[in-house]
Every structure is written in structure tokens, then in C-alpha cells.
Amino acid sequence: MGSQGKPTTLGAASGAVAGLVAITPGSGFVGPVSAILIGGLAGVICYGGVMLKAKLRYDDSLDVVGIHGFGGTWGALATGLFASKAVNPAGSDGLFFGNPGQLGVQFVAVLATIVFAFVMTLILLKVVGWVAGVRVSDEDEEKGMDISMHDEKGYSY
């Protein structure tokens, strides 16, 4: 929903992406009903993640943390709940199919991924900061980067 409580095209696209992000980890391991549950819950979870941005005041114009971070985490954990050897005999059953250990495996994998992504992001930000900088000046940001960086107007009013 937009800031005025009305649905937006970006919101609809974000909702579709949230469902796709969440089902991706389990796509070869869960059945259709489980996939619908995972995608449906992803909408609620990702919306909550996007709403955290305002409370925590971090810069994320494309809601990557709220959609990919929260949605991917949910999808990986949900695989540990809904995975079924009936869908993929080469896989493992999840918690709801008699294997509670798979949820633990998924949790460790999620934790390792979060730590890896955080550390690598810090390293990359430092390297980019040394090479080119990660922020424009306040003056360039106020003027608008279309003008200050590209000498073009992005929008005609």
C-alpha cells in the first residue's frame, strides 16, 4: 500500500516478488499446497519487514531487506517445515513430515548466510568507499543526482 493507504503498482510488484523470493528455497522440495502457504505468509512477513524500515530509519529505497531478507529467511526456514520426500526423494522431509532436524539444518544455513552477507557487505562498502565513495555530497543530493551526476532531468514537471 502507498503512503495514503491505497494500493500501488510498486506494492503489487513487491508482493509478487515476495512470494517468489519465499518459495525459491523450497521450490524443488515442497508441494503445491505448501507453496501457497509459504507465499501467502511471505506477503505478511515481508510487509512487516518493509514497515520496519520506517521504525529503524535505514535507507532501502527498493525494500531489499524487507522483501529479500525477510522473504528469503522465511522461505529457507519454511523449507525445513514443509519439505517432503514425496515431492523430491533425493531431499529430506521437513518438520511437518516427521523430520524436525531439517528445521535445525535450515536455521543454521540461514544464520550462516546472514553472517556471510553482513560481513561481505561491510567489506565491499569499505572497498567502494576507498575507491569511489558511497555517498554524494549533501549539495548534490539536494540538487538531485539526475542533474548533479548525469546532467539530465529524470522527470519533467
Side-chain angles (χ1 to χ4, degrees), residues 53-125:
K53 179 175 65 173
K55 287 187 188 282
L56 299 178
R57 298 175 40 91
Y58 62 87
D59 186 9
D60 185 6
S61 61
L62 297 175
D63 295 327
V64 173
V65 173
I67 295 172
H68 286 83
F70 280 71
T73 298
W74 160 242
L77 292 174
T79 302
L81 297 173
F82 296 105
S84 171
K85 283 186 172 187
V87 173
N88 185 342
S92 295
D93 285 329
L95 174 69
F96 297 147
F97 293 93
N99 181 14
Q102 188 60 40
L103 183 57
V105 169
Q106 297 300 119
F107 180 79
V108 170
V110 164
L111 193 59
T113 302
I114 290 169
V115 169
F116 176 79
F118 183 79
V119 170
M120 290 306 294
T121 298
L122 289 179
I123 291 169
L124 288 170
L125 280 172

Side-chain angles (χ1 to χ4, degrees), residues 1-19:
M1 294 250 181
S3 60
Q4 304 300 316
K6 296 177 183 171
T8 64
T9 305
L10 179 60
S14 295
V17 169

